[in-house]
Structure formats: C-alpha cells, structure tokens
Amino acid sequence: MMNFSYTRATTVGDAIEAVAGDPHARFIAGGTNLVDLMKYDVERPGRLVDITRLPLKDIEDTAEGGLKIGALVPNSDLAYDTRIERDYPLLASAILAGASAQLRNAATTGGNLLQRTRCYYFYDAGVPCNKREPGSGCPAKTGVNRIHAILGASDSCIATHPSDMCVALAALGATVHVEGPDGARTISFEDFHRLPGDSPEKDNTLAHGEMVTAVELPAPRFGKKHTYLKLRDRLSYAFALVSVAAAVELDGDVVGEARIALGGVAHKPWRVPEAEALLKGKLPSSSAFEEAADRLLKGAAGHGENDFKIELARRAVVRALFQAAAGTPQVQSSKIVN
Amino acid sequence: MSNVHPYVGRAHPRVDGALKVTGRAKYAAEFFADGMVYAAAVPATIAKGRIVSIDLSAAKSAPGVIDILTHENRPELPDSDEPYLNDMVAVPGSPFRALYNDRILYSGQPIALVVADTHENARHAASLVTATYEAETPTVDVAEARHEAYDTFEPRDGIPPPPPPRGDAEATFKGADIKLSESYRVAPEHHNPMELMATTVIWEGDGALTIHTKTQGVNNPKNYICAVLGLDPGKVRVTSPFVGGAFGMVLRPQYDLLVATMTAIKLERSVRLVLTRGQMYTMGWRPDTLQTVALSAKEDGELTSISHHAIQATSQFEDYQEPTVNWSGLIYDCPNVSLKYELAKIDVSTPSDMRAPGAALGVCALEIAMDELSYRLGMDPLELRLKNYAEKDQNDDKPFSSKELKAAYAQGAEQFGWKDRDSRPRSMRDGKELIGQGMATGCWEAMMQPHGGRATLSAEGKLEVACGTADIGTGTYTILAQIGADALGLDIDDVTARVGDTSLPMAPPEGGSWGAASAGNAVRVACTALKEELLKAARGLHDSPLANASLEHVSFANGKISLVSDDEKFVTFGDAVRGSGSADVTAEAMFEPDEDFAGKYASYTHSAVFAEVRVDEQLGVVRVTRIVSAIAAGKILNLATARSQILGGVVMGIGMALHEETMWDKALGRVVNANLGEYHMPAHADVQNIDVIFVEEDDKANPLGVKGLGEIGIVGAAAAIANAVFHATGKRVRDLPITIDKLL
Amino acid sequence: MPQDARSAPEPVAVTLSVNGETHSVEIPPSATLLDVLRERLHLTGSKKGCDQGQCGACTVLIDGRRVNSCLQLAVMNDGREITTIEGIGTPEHLHPLQAAFVTHDAFQCGYCTPGQICSAVGMLDEGHAHGPEEIRELMSGNLCRCGAYTNIVEAIEEVRRAREAPTLKAPTLEAAE
C-alpha cells in the first residue's frame, strides 16, 4: 500500500477543488473498494479527500414523485429505508443481494456506482492488465475467465462491473447527479458506466474532479412485479456470475412495460430497450420471455470458461420475468429460487 | 475410575472458551516487545526462471525503512539440505530455502523482506521494490505434466506406498460384464485458516529468542530454526498458545519463520512478520490429482475387481506424497485389487497435508465410482456397500482393532430416512427443485505418536497438565483438562491445561488425527505417575494412614487420597504435597504407542455420510439441505468438541463438493483467485442442517480407547453430496467442485 | 510528482474513542483502524483474516454499526464511537452472545469468533433477522473455516429469542453442564 496524504473536506466545493487540482487525488467515502485496491497497489492515489462529512446523506422526495438519494447514504440505510422498501423494492432487494451486511453498512450510494471490476488480473498488480496499466495486455482473454463479460467486451478488456445495486438502478431508469469544477450536471444511468472499447481504464463518464452527489429515482412503478435474481458460486457473499433485475407492468393480462437489466455479464449493467419492447402486449409466457432473453443476449460471446454464462443468463432472464410477472420476487435470504 | 461422574465422555464446554469469545486469546501476531519492527515480504511475479536484478533504491529511501533482505545481502544460510530437513514433516527432496539464491521455483516466492519501524511503512516500502527476471515458461497444470509422471520417488516417511496388487484386477475387469472405469478430479484447494500466517520474534537480548509462530507443534519450528540458523536450542523458546486454524497448513515450518528469525538476529531487535492472505496461496495446498477408478462386480453386487490410479502434482523440488489410492484396497472386500500412485512435477510450491490428505481425494473418487456402480447394478448404494463390507484389512492382512461401520451405516440411514428414498434419479422434486439423496463411506487411519506429558499438583490442590502439542481449535485444552480432572478426581475448574510451548514436555506436531490419542494418553500416563509420586509422599508422612497402600488400594477424589477399603483413612492432597518437601509435586511421562498391538491390528475410523441436496432444475443452483454424518471413532472424549470437529469436516466437504477451487493462470503460472472473495469457502448461507452421530465403538489400541476425529468428518462428505447431485439431476459430475456451469 | 517516489506524508493526530476510552494517536493516513487497534492500542481481539473485507474477522461496531475495520482508515474515524470485542464483555462478565457461543460450542480455533460476535451484536440491533434463515444470510459476511456455522446460528438464535421474550432466561455458561 502506498503512502498518501489526507484531507477532510467540509463542503462539496472544497472537495471538488482539492481533487480537481491534483491529478493524483481521489475522493474517499466508504472506502470498501478503494482501500482494498490501495492495499494491493492497484490504486495508488497520492492524496485522499475524505468526503464522509459532507451533507449528502439525505433521501429527499422530488417534484416528479421520485426520490433523490444523497451520494453518502450507506447501502444498508438505503435498502432498509421505508420509502425504498415500499416504492422501490427492486432496489432494496438488489442492494441486499450484494456484499455483506458489514460492507453495506460502510459502502455508500455513490461509491457503489464507482466500484471497480473484480477481474482477477485487474486485482493483481504483478500481472498485465489494460484497465490497470493501459497497453500492458489482457491475460483474461486467454486465461481464467469464468467470471468475465459475454456482452459489450472489447479486444482490450473483458471485465465486468460488479455491482448489484447498479443493475436495479439501470432497470429503474435512475439519473446520476454529479458536480465538478465546471458545475453540476446529470447523467442518465445508461450513460454513466461505459463499455471498455479502447480505453478500459475508464469505467464511467465522470471527469477527474467530478463527484457523484446524488442518484435520482423516477416516480415509482411496477408495484410488487419485480425481482432481483442473483446466481453465483456460493449462496451469499459472492459476486454474481449472472444477475437479473426485472420489473413488469401488466396491462390487463398482457405486458404493458417491462424492464430487464443484467449484471455480471458486461462492463456495465446491460439493458436493451428493444428486448423490453418485444414483451409489450404479450401474455407472460415462456416463449415471450425467451424471445426477450434472446434479444437481450444478442451478440453474446464467451471466452472459453465463461461460455456457460450465455445460457445461464438466458435461463435467468426467463425465470426472473416469471417471478416479476407473478409478483413473487426473489427473497434474498431465501436460497430457493421460486 | 475414582470419579463417579467422569468428565471424559461429556459435552463439557471449552475451557478456553471465555478467552476466545472475549478476544483475550493470544495468537502468533499478538505479542509485543519494545522496539519491535515490522517486516513485509515481497513476492516474485514470475513462476519459473531467475532474478536478474532487484531494485531497492526507492524502497530504501522510503520512510521508516530499517533494512531490506534479499538473496544478495542476506545473512549466511546453510548450503546443504541437511539442516533444512530438521522438519518432522519434511518430504523427500530439497526443502525450499527463502531468500537463498536467484532461482524462482514458483510464483509468489519471496524475493525480498522489507523491515521498517511500522507496519504501514513496511507495507509501503515493499510496494516500491521492483525486480527484473529471466522468465521461463512454467507448467502449473498437472494434466500437462502427466506424461512425465513417475513412481520412482523415495517414499515419504509415514506414508505407506500402495500395497502390491492382489489377484488380477486387470484380467478380471476385462472379462467382467458389469463394470465401469471413470476419471475423477477434485480442484486444488488451499487450507485458508482464518488466521494469517505470522511469526513474532522477540529479541530477549544476548542471543535469546522467544518465537511466537503459527504452528501445529512448537518443537518442529524450534528444531528447524535452530538447525538452519545454527542456534543454541537452550536459548530459543517457541510458543503457539492459540492457533487460528491450521488444517495441516502449518505442520511444516513456512518461510515466515525463517526470514523473521534471521532478521531479528541480524538486527538484534524484535520482529513481526504477518503474511498477506494472497501470500498464503503461495505455500502448501491440497494437490491437484488425476484419478481413474475401475470397478467390476457380479450381478448381485459383489465386487470382483478394483483398480485405482492417481497422478498427483508436486513441486519441482520435493516429492510430496499422500496416501491417495490405498483406501481402495481397504474399504471393501475384494479379491482383485490394483493400486498405482504417481507424481508429476509442476512449477508450484510444494503441496502439503490438508485435512485428510489422500483420503479426502482418494475416497472421494472411490465413493463416486461406487455410486456409479450401484446405478449400473440397479442396487441401493447402501446395500452395495454392505454387500462388500470388509471384515479385515486386506491391504495388510490384519483384523481391525475395531470397526463399527455397520452400526454407522444403520444409525445414519435411520436418522436420515434413507429407506424412504426413491432410488431413481430425477424422481424426487419439490416445485422447481429436484431433490437428491446420496451417501458415501469415509475412512481414516487411527494413528498415535510417542508423546510426552506432565502433571503437577500444588499444595492448594490445583492440577496443571501440560505438553508441547498445539490446540488448533480441536479442543485439546479441554480434553486434557477433562483427563486430568478424572485422573485426580478433581473439579475441572481446579485443572489448568497448557500446550503450545517448547518449555513443555516433548510433543510431535499435531495432525493426522493423532493429537487426542497421543496427547490425551500422555497426560493420562503423566497423571498416573503423579499419583504414584503423591502416594509415595503420602505414605512417607508420619503415621500415614496409607502407609502400606499401593495405587490399586487407593482412590483420588475430593482432594484426598483414600483407601478404597476404608475411606475414613486418607491423606489430603495438600498434606501429600507438603509431605513431599516441595511446593508442588510434578511428574513427567512418555506415552509410547503399543507397537505389538499395532503389529497385530489395523486401526481406522469410519463414517457413513448421507446428504440431501436440492437443485434448481433450470438454473443449476445447488443447496445442501441436510447431512447426516455417522462416525465410528472409538471413545469420544468430549461430545461437544468432537461434534464440532465433525461439523467442520463436513462443512469443508461441502466446500470441496460445491465451492472450493484454487485457479492458476496457466500462462502466468500464478494463482488468480488468491483471496477469500474469489476462493469460495462455504459461508453461513451455504450450511443448513448437519446431524452428527457417534456410534459406540470399543477400541483397545490405547488405554483411552480414542481414535481421533480431525480428518474423518471430511472423508466421504464431498462424495455423498456429489452422489446426491446425481440422484437429483441424473447428471454425473466427476470434476469437483460442482459449480452452476457443470449442471446447465 | 512521480507516484512511486513520494515522500512520507506527515503523521496525523487522531482521537479515537474505543470501548468508551479516548486514545490520542499519531498515525500515518494509510493506517487502517484494524491495524491501529491491534498494533498501537494492543486491542488484538479484532482479528486480521484477509485485510480485504472478505472474511469479517475484523468486524467492529462504529457508532453501533458493524463494519470491517480492515477497510476503515483510522483517520476517518476520528471522534466516532468504536466498540471492539474487548468492549462487548469480559471473561468474568460475558455478554449473552459470548455466553451463548461458549454454550453452543460456536467456534473452534476462535479466530473468527470476535468478528462473528461483534457482527451478531450489530445484526440483532439492526432488527432484520427474524429466524435462522435470515441469520444465515445476514451473518454471511463472517466466514468460519472451522465450520462452526450451525452452532453459531443456534447461539445467535437463542439470544435473539431471549431478547424478543425477555422473560426467558439468558443463556449462561452453566447451562451446558
């Protein structure tokens, strides 16, 4: 772990100024991912700017009937917030599917968006990785890649985004509020994370010095017709091989609107509006769900050890859509997939 | 036994429990000294080749750095293997020497040790050390090395080579109608005790050292370090009062001991070295083993031949061995048996014993094959086992000292409800889940070692029992206190047990499930010797009421030595001790296993494991909903700690069946999932109901009748689960762990 | 500034409140709370099992919430109330969870145990565990290689029930005898 200097910010403006002016400076909040990466010399910031005492810890109602979640709201507080439990149970469920209770207590809303891939090679400073050291190569492509991307990968990187929460936020159509040296802006959730392309070192579209200040949820929809289904190598405390956030609005007997987002399969939560549109007007059925799954997974390609994820994702999407349409969401403490 | 309610056999709570639950128990990295410095190891990033140069310039100028050791500037180390072989668990070959020369034998090998004033500064400076290498292409997959497998190795001490063939397995198999020959592989595993590897060396001045290190037996690191560094054994004390899990990983001294001690001597300062979790994946592991099992049987299920062949990975520099195939000639009655065991060298650290070494892998393959055979025969898997029940050890042509496996089968099956099982695969379901039930047999050798023990009684009537073994969580403190309390008829609160210190009587490293039998009997004989001493002192008292009594004539209870024939005639412990003329009476004794008995009888523990799984039919999610493990392991000293050991073995078996896999990148020769987030051991959510049954078993191999429990819990557990997965899904997975992808 | 030749940042003065006692320490910013507790305050009850937030052995309570102390920079916890296993109970006065762990033999080597107990204290206060299934899920951040899981869940469930029905007698060491 490299040494670094430390300052504690008292205002958002001070924090941004401190980081924007120093290319080696980074914000730190929950630290659950950054401190870990620093111990393994994957992240080597010269200065950390502590933002934990900034006033970004509230969950506020918006004029549009949604909620604006402060970037420093801990994951667990968000999951157990009564408004989230009541109006956005998909989000609550996805959060509770991730990490451990201790980590959720420390990790923040903004930090969850910014957590970095769990690619084995990214995490090992002793080996090449294009994400960690651009141009050094990607051993994962021909190496151990059972956890890697099947969608949207590039020649230079096949890493996945590890978040569960973000998969739900993608499905719900959240908006990210950021502030930077050039002022504030909002980013739609699908534009927040990016695909690796030729610059896998960039996980998202934030500029240096920009800080996530809040995540905004649109007015609630879907009622109980949602689910978060996570499949992994042990029954808890493991990253997703494949996860699915699904939500369905029925119009009589047929699907009015559907949302499907996949986790564990790409460099960002994977959403394909065309796949969702295919469900519109259809009766919930295996064939309709399979068609949507196939569209969602169009172009999916494995790298050997992760070929299975394509079929696993297909089956998981179908099951998740059944769970959502029936209004019987997966309960994260129950390991029976209903 | 003088005590009406003996402690031995009861479920007595751990005597060290309060220390552990309050965080007061001290582990190797939790001792302090003034001026102590902190070390951090720098691992190699290649798997094979040599170091060309190490750049220490940045690290040397980093804050707080005191010294940096490499192969180029280290203190003198011996250049022959002989001193390094002062390791009671050494294997044939040339033991690894840390920081010895420029050769890189495996990825993660330490190339430098950075020493600084604080942990943070050592960690920081370690990250600044860079090296250049001349790299060669490594091989880390035993399958790629299988064509170079060999069986010409020098046998490892204590590991019997496969017995010679009996009958003609090959010809019988060829002519058989009902047969199968399949290959099996269990993923390589790491022990992953929760405690990080650590050594704290306290510089006591004038060359004297107290070394607190993570070990399964303090005498082994002491002998090793004194031999390698040429230290006076009289000036070195090694302790490990508490050990945060081991499972075989610290039977042998690891490099933290050598480099930390070398540094302390060079600097004449106390040193703490704690390895990282990632660095713990660059030492001992359960070796990758390629196995083939061939079975043939008559229509009624009678086995006609068994062949078992294993090719097991070892390092380039040592021939690590474990008894992998021998079980296939032992567990079932069969006239034609052929067993073959070979090694293949790859560019990794030497494997090491990990809970039930050999048996965990070999019995797993055999027991999956037996399950496969049962379906070929259309026979209940339990019936097949009973049909081929071995009444004697055919490998060594000896009767068993005791074998209540039939009772274990019966009680396990009853508890599990085995008779209600529909034998057809895919026949049981509940909603979207298929239900499967499988079973397997387990077996492990009951071993003992020569072992010292000491018992000391104070004038206040407090007993201390002690020996130099380790309690790695098995409950040794507690059983020794129980044995001592019973021997002297004391309340257990008046008994203190001490282990984990070279100042205590000689003990071998504890492992192989011999700890309870060896240390337990050693304390027992020491207590007998103490009683002789006490009686002698009591007899010598003026007008002693016990003047002519011998041990058979007296009982020790309620703080008194009394005549059995007249309990009004007694001497209190206090008077006896005072009569001895010393502040306390102490006796030391050696327990020597009965070699005659061992020559006549084969001694094994056995288990019958029954598992229920539920598997999501489409998604391949496996849940282990129920396990019954019925154990025949002689006398159970403490029902609570014994049960816990079996639970632990079963949980590790769940990991073997479903989760655990150390993954090497073949091109880089490097473990990629060297952390607890990506190496999946079972978590709380993976473990539901586990029932443990101890069947009555009377064994005469040692006076306590105890056989040991550390290994038997895992043996057969993974096979039972794999067999249950087949029963549920109709899919036979022969390479464990059974992850989701293998069931799609 | 080339990252690798960076000089040492000045140590920072931090006031930590641990188990009700105030400690003033001068530490580098990179010092984790776990390392400060263990190496500087000699409170070694909090264990280091992975140093990556992947095992739970280092679990402590910060302002009553359970967190992995290995991922907390100590400097960021200035002024917060930290409770470690040493503050939960003593051998003479065990917390009901500590007593229940002994009674149920809910540990073997004991190394994950302080983390399991601190985590269980935090979990019961959170109030989201209503039975064994939820306990298993919400305790999954605490690995136990000795495999004491079933006993741990039984110990916690017993205390949880006793808390729900306060007339039930809290478990004691003697209960096992």
Side-chain angles (χ1 to χ4, degrees):
Chain A
M1 189 178 190
M2 305 291 303
N3 281 334
F4 55 87
S5 63
Y6 167 87
T7 47
R8 184 182 295 163
T10 47
T11 68
V12 171
D14 287 352
I16 290 167
E17 194 183 320
V19 171
D22 178 352
H24 300 295
R26 294 283 305 271
F27 300 115
I28 183 166
T32 52
N33 191 211
L34 181 57
V35 172
D36 183 25
L37 289 166
M38 287 166 61
K39 283 185 186 173
Y40 292 87
D41 299 316
V42 177
E43 298 272 10
R44 297 176 156 219
R47 189 209 301 213
L48 288 184
V49 178
D50 177 357
I51 61 170
T52 53
R53 319 256 167 150
L54 301 184
L56 301 171
K57 293 172 188 144
D58 294 327
I59 303 175
E60 299 162 10
D61 296 334
T62 66
E64 292 73 31
L67 289 177
K68 190 173 172 189
I69 304 154
L72 294 175
V73 174
N75 290 175
S76 50
D77 289 15
L78 184 58
Y80 294 119
D81 182 272
T82 52
R83 292 161 291 178
I84 297 292
E85 282 183 329
R86 185 188 66 220
D87 297 334
Y88 304 92
L90 169 58
L91 177 59
S93 184
I95 293 169
L96 295 178
S100 68
Q102 289 98 312
L103 290 165
R104 295 192 293 264
N105 274 341
T108 63
T109 304
N112 194 308
L113 268 57
L114 301 174
Q115 63 180 305
R116 309 210 65 190
T117 184
R118 307 306 294 202
C119 171
Y120 314 121
Y121 301 92
F122 173 73
Y123 246 85
D124 182 352
V127 306
C129 167
N130 286 328
K131 186 182 272 297
R132 183 166 26 78
E133 282 175 61
S136 61
C138 174
K141 281 190 298 180
T142 52
V144 185
N145 55 36
R146 75 187 298 276
I147 63 172
H148 288 76
I150 52 170
L151 288 160
S154 72
D155 243 11
S156 63
C157 183
I158 61 170
T160 60
H161 195 264
S163 170
D164 292 296
M165 186 181 97
C166 290
V167 183
L169 291 174
L172 292 171
T175 303
V176 185
H177 290 250
V178 307
E179 255 180 79
D182 300 328
R185 62 180 179 125
T186 58
I187 309 172
S188 73
F189 208 81
E190 60 175 293
D191 293 331
F192 183 81
H193 296 102
R194 57 186 297 283
L195 292 178
D198 292 333
S199 47
E201 70 278 12
K202 291 183 190 151
D203 294 348
N204 54 54
T205 51
L206 286 183
H208 182 73
E210 278 191 313
M211 180 199 293
V212 174
T213 54
V215 172
E216 186 176 335
L217 298 172
R221 303 174 63 169
F222 308 114
K224 283 190 171 14
K225 296 202 181 305
H226 69 88
T227 197
Y228 189 74
L229 177 59
K230 181 176 183 180
L231 303 173
R232 46 188 153 177
D233 278 330
R234 67 180 164 201
L235 294 174
S236 187
Y237 203 17
F239 292 94
L241 291 166
V242 167
S243 70
V244 188
V248 173
E249 223 167 41
L250 288 185
D251 187 357
D253 288 342
V254 300
V255 175
E257 176 155 349
R259 300 278 178 83
I260 320 166
L262 290 179
V265 297
H267 202 255
K268 61 186 284 191
W270 193 256
R271 231 187 115 185
V272 177
E274 294 83 354
E276 296 166 1
L278 281 176
L279 288 168
K280 205 173 171 81
K282 300 242 172 78
L283 283 168
S285 69
S286 291
S287 58
F289 294 163
E290 282 166 8
E291 193 188 0
D294 287 340
R295 179 65 192 82
L296 190 61
L297 290 160
K298 193 176 160 190
H303 303 274
E305 294 185 1
N306 68 346
D307 294 350
F308 75 94
K309 277 189 173 187
I310 302 172
E311 180 60 21
L312 183 65
R314 188 172 176 273
R315 295 184 192 189
V317 167
V318 172
R319 179 69 67 83
L321 283 168
F322 273 116
Q323 289 183 333
T328 53
Q330 184 65 37
V331 176
Q332 295 308 337
S333 59
S334 167
K335 303 306 167 186
I336 307 167
V337 184
N338 54 276
Chain B
M1 185 84 52
S2 59
N3 197 326
V4 210
H5 299 292
Y7 287 99
V8 166
R10 272 204 247 175
H12 191 81
R14 278 171 207 264
V15 295
D16 50 342
L19 287 178
K20 285 179 173 173
V21 299
T22 57
R24 267 74 170 176
K26 292 259 175 266
Y27 299 80
E30 299 172 356
F31 293 85
F32 294 87
D34 288 341
M36 185 172 76
V37 296
Y38 290 79
V42 180
T45 56
I46 64 160
K48 187 180 189 181
R50 58 176 285 273
I51 303 164
V52 174
S53 66
I54 304 181
D55 183 355
L56 302 179
S57 54
K60 273 187 174 161
S61 60
V65 170
I66 292 161
D67 200 357
I68 305 177
L69 276 73
T70 70
H71 69 279
E72 290 171 317
N73 69 2
R74 61 163 169 78
E76 191 84 354
L77 279 175
D79 55 11
S80 79
D81 285 331
E82 198 275 325
Y84 303 90
L85 287 165
N86 278 276
D87 166 3
M88 293 178 242
V89 200
V91 300
S94 179
F96 176 69
R97 306 173 192 173
L99 305 183
Y100 184 72
N101 60 21
D102 61 351
R103 300 303 303 176
I104 299 298
L105 301 170
Y106 56 88
S107 188
Q109 174 184 327
I111 61 164
L113 189 77
V114 177
V115 187
D117 57 347
T118 65
H119 166 64
E120 290 78 19
N121 282 336
R123 184 175 60 179
H124 170 67
S127 73
L128 302 178
V129 175
T130 56
T132 57
Y133 303 94
E134 241 169 53
E136 297 167 42
T137 306
T139 303
V140 292
D141 182 358
V142 68
E144 286 173 18
R146 69 183 308 162
H147 59 280
E148 287 169 16
Y150 58 101
D151 63 0
T152 51
F153 44 82
E154 175 198 335
R156 177 183 171 194
D157 193 28
I159 304 297
R166 61 176 183 257
D168 189 339
E170 204 178 317
T172 310
F173 184 83
K174 218 170 185 178
D177 292 330
I178 301 166
K179 60 186 171 185
L180 63 89
S181 175
E182 297 290 352
S183 296
Y184 304 90
R185 191 172 185 176
V186 177
E189 298 181 334
H190 274 81
H191 309 69
N192 277 312
M194 296 310 299
E195 181 193 14
L196 295 176
M197 286 298 297
T199 296
T200 303
V201 184
I202 307 293
W203 175 259
E204 307 279 12
D206 195 25
L209 300 173
T210 302
I211 302 173
H212 308 283
T213 191
K214 184 171 175 64
T215 177
Q216 285 171 256
V218 284
N219 292 294
N220 205 32
K222 176 171 170 176
N223 293 347
Y224 172 87
I225 203 68
C226 288
V228 173
L229 297 181
L231 307 178
D232 173 0
K235 289 188 146 187
V236 177
R237 177 180 164 216
V238 178
T239 89
S240 65
F242 291 96
V243 182
F247 315 108
M249 182 176 188
V250 285
L251 282 164
R252 298 185 69 182
Q254 301 288 354
Y255 73 77
D256 57 307
L257 172 73
L258 174 60
V259 297
T261 310
M262 188 162 79
T263 304
I265 292 167
K266 182 184 176 201
L267 300 177
E268 302 194 347
R269 291 180 79 163
S270 301
V271 174
R272 162 118 73 241
L273 171 60
V274 180
L275 301 189
T276 66
R277 180 56 64 179
Q279 286 165 355
M280 289 174 69
Y281 287 81
T282 63
M283 42 188 64
W285 53 295
R286 193 193 292 285
D288 200 351
T289 306
L290 309 170
Q291 300 188 65
T292 306
V293 178
L295 303 175
S296 64
K298 296 180 183 168
E299 269 183 33
D300 64 357
E302 187 184 318
L303 283 166
T304 54
S305 77
I306 300 174
S307 298
H308 191 161
H309 177 206
I311 300 174
Q312 178 217 288
T314 190
S315 67
Q316 297 289 358
F317 48 97
E318 287 180 308
D319 284 338
Y320 169 79
Q321 298 151 52
E322 48 189 42
T324 306
V325 296
N326 304 18
W327 313 98
S328 291
L330 173 81
I331 295 178
Y332 299 110
D333 187 88
C334 184
N336 302 294
V337 174
S338 166
L339 307 173
K340 191 174 178 192
Y341 175 69
E342 296 178 290
L343 300 178
K345 288 192 173 297
I346 55 175
D347 299 302
V348 295
S349 59
T350 304
S352 73
D353 298 306
M354 176 169 169
R355 200 170 213 159
L361 299 175
V363 176
C364 182
L366 173 68
E367 286 301 290
I368 297 176
M370 285 293 283
D371 197 63
E372 300 203 47
L373 182 64
S374 77
Y375 288 94
R376 297 272 168 103
L377 289 160
M379 192 170 178
D380 180 89
L382 176 53
E383 283 304 308
L384 177 64
R385 268 94 176 168
L386 288 167
K387 176 80 186 172
N388 294 287
Y389 195 84
E391 296 289 359
K392 67 168 185 177
D393 170 1
Q394 288 179 294
N395 280 353
D396 287 338
D397 195 24
K398 283 184 200 169
F400 292 110
S401 62
S402 59
K403 181 178 174 182
E404 296 296 338
L405 176 58
K406 268 188 188 157
Y409 283 139
Q411 291 177 33
E414 172 69 24
Q415 171 81 9
F416 186 81
W418 182 257
K419 67 174 169 30
D420 301 326
R421 170 181 182 265
D422 185 329
S423 61
R424 298 162 303 152
R426 299 180 62 83
S427 59
M428 297 160 69
R429 67 170 68 225
D430 180 9
K432 296 179 173 65
E433 289 184 323
L434 297 163
I435 302 172
Q437 298 181 334
M439 59 85 56
T441 308
C443 187
W444 182 254
E445 193 175 0
M447 293 178 275
M448 286 174 279
Q449 305 281 351
H451 204 294
R454 189 177 75 200
T456 307
L457 190 73
S458 71
E460 292 73 43
K462 306 282 186 192
L463 175 69
E464 181 195 89
V465 292
C467 58
T469 188
D471 186 339
I472 61 171
T474 52
T476 308
Y477 278 112
T478 309
I479 60 160
L480 298 186
Q482 290 175 278
I483 291 166
D486 284 355
L488 276 292
L490 288 169
D491 190 299
I492 198 165
D493 291 341
D494 291 327
V495 182
T496 306
R498 286 183 62 204
V499 302
D501 193 323
T502 49
S503 68
L504 303 177
M506 177 62 193
E510 75 77 52
S513 296
W514 63 62
S518 310
N521 278 299
V523 161
R524 190 181 161 281
V525 294
C527 286
T528 304
L530 172 66
K531 293 199 297 197
E532 301 254 18
E533 293 297 316
L534 287 169
L535 182 56
K536 202 193 298 174
R539 278 197 308 248
L541 293 173
H542 182 66
D543 282 341
S544 173
L546 307 177
N548 296 310
S550 63
L551 265 191
E552 318 79 273
H553 303 131
V554 295
S555 72
F556 289 73
N558 306 316
K560 297 181 289 198
I561 312 170
S562 320
L563 276 184
V564 174
S565 56
D566 179 1
D567 64 6
E568 296 295 305
K569 292 189 172 158
F570 64 84
V571 171
T572 67
F573 286 175
D575 286 344
V577 171
R578 280 183 286 273
S580 76
S582 308
D584 49 37
V585 175
T586 190
E588 257 191 69
M590 275 298 287
F591 166 69
E592 298 284 354
D594 182 342
E595 297 298 337
D596 279 353
F597 190 92
K600 286 187 210 138
Y601 295 95
S603 230
Y604 288 89
T605 55
H606 293 88
S607 70
V609 193
F610 298 83
E612 179 181 277
V613 302
R614 291 173 180 240
V615 185
D616 188 283
E617 190 176 6
Q618 276 116 38
L619 302 174
V621 176
V622 181
R623 301 189 296 126
V624 179
T625 44
R626 217 149 54 85
I627 301 257
V628 174
S629 180
I631 303 288
K635 172 81 176 171
I636 302 305
L637 299 176
N638 183 320
L639 282 167
T641 57
R643 181 171 171 274
S644 287
Q645 285 217 69
I646 300 305
L647 291 174
V650 169
V651 170
M652 213 176 266
I654 293 174
M656 176 179 276
L658 301 181
H659 308 119
E660 294 183 38
E661 178 170 14
T662 305
M663 300 186 284
W664 270 266
D665 180 282
K666 288 184 196 171
L668 299 165
R670 196 163 168 87
V671 175
V672 297
N673 61 334
N675 60 72
L676 297 181
E678 298 297 342
Y679 179 101
H680 300 111
M681 65 170 76
H684 269 287
D686 297 292
V687 180
Q688 297 191 33
N689 304 302
I690 306 172
D691 285 329
V692 179
I693 298 168
F694 292 109
V695 305
E696 292 270 333
E697 190 176 69
D698 185 24
D699 194 85
K700 304 281 187 234
N702 63 68
L704 281 171
V706 60
K707 282 183 168 178
L709 291 164
E711 335 287 317
I712 188 64
I714 191 174
V715 187
I721 293 165
N723 294 340
V725 169
F726 173 78
H727 182 237
T729 65
K731 210 165 255 176
R732 181 64 70 179
V733 180
R734 300 186 182 89
D735 56 329
L736 308 187
I738 306 172
T739 42
I740 280 182
D741 45 306
K742 294 173 186 167
L743 292 176
L744 289 182
Chain C
M1 178 175 58
Q3 283 203 49
D4 292 353
R6 179 181 309 140
S7 62
E10 289 299 304
V12 282
V14 175
T15 303
L16 293 173
S17 175
V18 184
N19 303 327
E21 276 185 50
T22 299
H23 302 268
S24 295
V25 286
E26 294 256 316
I27 53 168
S30 66
T32 64
L33 177 59
L34 176 63
D35 286 328
V36 171
L37 290 171
R38 287 172 63 83
E39 302 297 342
R40 293 174 198 256
L41 305 184
H42 297 196
L43 292 168
T44 53
S46 305
K47 302 303 184 193
K48 186 184 281 193
C50 71
D51 215 18
Q52 290 180 277
Q54 295 175 336
C55 79
C58 67
T59 302
V60 301
L61 302 164
I62 298 180
D63 292 337
R65 297 160 68 97
R66 51 177 168 156
V67 297
N68 305 97
S69 62
C70 73
L71 294 180
Q72 292 287 323
L73 297 177
V75 65
M76 292 172 68
N77 286 283
D78 188 278
R80 299 206 158 116
E81 188 55 51
I82 295 150
T83 306
T84 69
I85 190 70
E86 289 91 345
I88 300 283
T90 63
E92 296 73 32
H93 300 283
L94 296 179
H95 181 281
L97 272 164
Q98 291 170 318
F101 268 57
V102 175
T103 309
H104 289 269
D105 207 41
F107 53 89
Q108 293 182 46
C109 79
Y111 201 78
C112 75
T113 311
Q116 299 273 1
I117 291 170
C118 285
S119 188
V121 169
M123 179 184 69
L124 293 181
D125 286 346
E126 288 157 13
H128 303 297
H130 305 290
E133 186 174 78
E134 284 166 315
I135 291 173
R136 285 198 292 267
E137 172 62 12
L138 294 171
M139 286 297 293
S140 279
N142 292 86
L143 300 180
C144 169
R145 187 54 158 169
C146 295
Y149 293 127
T150 51
N151 291 348
I152 294 170
V153 172
E154 282 170 19
I156 297 171
E157 174 65 0
E158 182 177 281
V159 175
R160 188 193 68 81
R161 282 168 174 269
R163 274 167 60 134
E164 280 196 351
T167 48
L168 285 177
K169 193 172 171 285
T172 62
L173 257 178
E174 291 71 40
E177 308 225 9

